[in-house]
Amino acid sequence: MNKIKIFCPATIANLNCGFDVLGLCLEGIGDEMIISKTAEKGIRITKITGADLPLETEKNVAGVAALAIVNTANPDCGFEIEIHKKIKAGSGIGSSSASAAGAVFGINELLGRPFTRHELVDFAMKGEALASGCEHADNVAPCILGGFTLVRGYNPLDVIKIQSPSELFAVVLHPQIELKTSDSRAVLPNAVPLKDTITQCGNLGGFIAGLYTSDYALIGRSLQDVIIEPHRQKLIPGFENAKNAALDAGALGAGISGAGPSIFALCRSQEKAEKVAYAMSSSYLDIGIDFDMHVSKINDEGVKIM
Ligand code: HSE
């Protein structure tokens, strides 16, 4: 195999109670990449469509992630990468992670899979760091592993995949404005009150227990964010109305997707998710910003060959 085409899915990070540690993988929304082996060593990005991103390897998230895996594997060949972006940069649904994850997954496949999917998360995280200014795996891990992922620890990286309860659906409202992850991180405080940390720990534990036991009510009441949302919500026009509309329409919970500006909701059943999507979009009509809506099952597979 010398050339492959890959689907790199979008993801939702944080999920209210798991800043930088929780994420899930979406279905149907994602980038495409074509990766080819070359006789000449090194990484070359030959084409990018759908976004104005640098072709220089060291300045591109996919290029940096590709260099991380190649520098470790040290293969006797090089790689050319084509990136076809469908996920807009600065959308809050893992645009940079999709590129980083696609690059390392594709190269690993072309090398005959020397690394496990879990090991690929570490390489992809190096690319993600270029986009956000810090290494975090809560988008790259679900993109590579599928389902829900929990980063139990970063040093060393310890990622746990959790299968989604079968009736869970995600709704995403994506306002067509760009919010850079680095800007969205800049508004966060350096220290957090102990009482908020206790609330967040309880919710994170409750959320994970809810996933393992398919307890939808427990998942719902754990979807609270007392640490990040109060600081970031002011960066997202119409956030509070859209969140309240989702909850009033029967969502289990709702909040900021990743670093924003996308707003997500989790719902029990596709029917409920469609109803929630309708309510969220109705709440957004008067904001004066174009937006996309997505309703998606949780994607258990992650990045894949097309
Ligand atoms: N956990 C990250 C953040 C996700 O919220 O800043 C965005 O890439």
Side-chain angles (χ1 to χ4, degrees):
M1 196 161 56
N2 288 317
K3 184 174 183 172
I4 48 174
K5 190 171 179 185
I6 300 157
F7 177 72
C8 322
T11 47
I12 300 176
N14 300 336
L15 296 167
N16 289 6
C17 56
F19 179 67
D20 274 0
V21 298
L22 263 186
L24 69 77
C25 188
L26 293 165
E27 217 167 60
I29 324 162
D31 293 345
E32 291 170 17
M33 292 172 82
I34 297 170
I35 306 190
S36 323
K37 252 187 200 172
T38 57
E40 193 188 336
K41 284 190 166 196
I43 304 290
R44 276 161 300 280
I45 299 173
T46 52
K47 188 173 179 181
I48 300 174
T49 64
D52 186 18
L53 294 168
L55 286 166
E56 294 99 308
T57 305
E58 290 80 7
K59 291 187 184 162
N60 184 293
V61 165
V64 171
L67 286 172
I69 183 170
V70 160
N71 289 342
T72 302
N74 197 18
D76 210 14
C77 62
F79 298 91
E80 281 183 0
I81 303 176
E82 267 184 40
I83 308 169
H84 301 284
K85 295 297 293 176
K86 315 272 179 187
I87 314 170
K88 290 212 172 73
S91 58
I93 49 171
S95 178
S96 52
S97 320
S99 301
V104 298
F105 173 79
I107 290 173
N108 193 50
E109 291 292 309
L110 291 173
L111 289 176
R113 293 192 197 150
F115 301 104
T116 64
R117 282 195 183 230
H118 269 87
E119 286 168 332
L120 295 181
V121 174
D122 216 345
F123 299 125
M125 213 166 62
K126 303 288 183 280
E128 179 73 313
L130 181 72
S132 67
C134 103
E135 287 191 10
H136 56 91
D138 51 340
N139 286 111
V140 287
C143 186
I144 291 174
L145 299 172
F148 282 86
T149 54
L150 169 72
V151 184
R152 203 279 315 154
Y154 275 96
N155 193 16
L157 188 64
D158 185 0
V159 179
I160 299 149
K161 174 178 174 174
I162 305 159
Q163 254 169 3
S164 174
S166 61
E167 294 168 56
L168 214 51
F169 277 76
V171 179
V172 177
L173 184 155
H174 170 209
Q176 303 290 302
I177 49 172
E178 184 178 349
L179 183 51
K180 287 200 171 77
T181 300
S182 48
D183 293 341
S184 195
R185 292 181 86 87
V187 301
L188 301 179
N190 289 324
V192 173
L194 182 60
K195 75 171 176 27
D196 291 344
T197 314
I198 293 167
T199 304
Q200 199 93 339
C201 286
N203 282 325
L204 180 57
F207 188 80
I208 300 297
L211 290 182
Y212 274 111
T213 56
S214 296
D215 184 334
Y216 295 91
L218 177 57
I219 290 171
R221 59 182 190 274
S222 305
L223 275 169
Q224 275 189 64
D225 182 354
V226 295
I227 292 184
I228 305 298
E229 187 181 288
H231 301 282
R232 280 184 170 170
Q233 62 176 339
K234 51 183 174 279
L235 305 176
I236 305 170
F239 171 76
E240 212 176 328
N241 277 350
K243 178 178 170 174
N244 288 336
L247 296 175
D248 290 346
L252 298 169
I256 302 170
S257 174
S262 286
I263 304 163
F264 82 96
L266 289 187
C267 303
R268 181 174 188 174
S269 86
Q270 179 161 11
E271 196 190 342
K272 183 70 79 182
E274 301 284 0
K275 202 173 148 201
V276 166
Y278 180 77
M280 290 173 81
S281 47
S282 303
S283 84
Y284 223 76
L285 291 176
D286 293 335
I287 301 293
I289 298 172
D290 287 342
F291 60 93
D292 289 335
M293 289 300 311
H294 305 285
V295 171
S296 164
K297 210 173 156 39
I298 313 305
N299 170 357
D300 191 55
E301 201 177 5
V303 60
K304 62 176 183 187
I305 296 176
M306 291 176 83

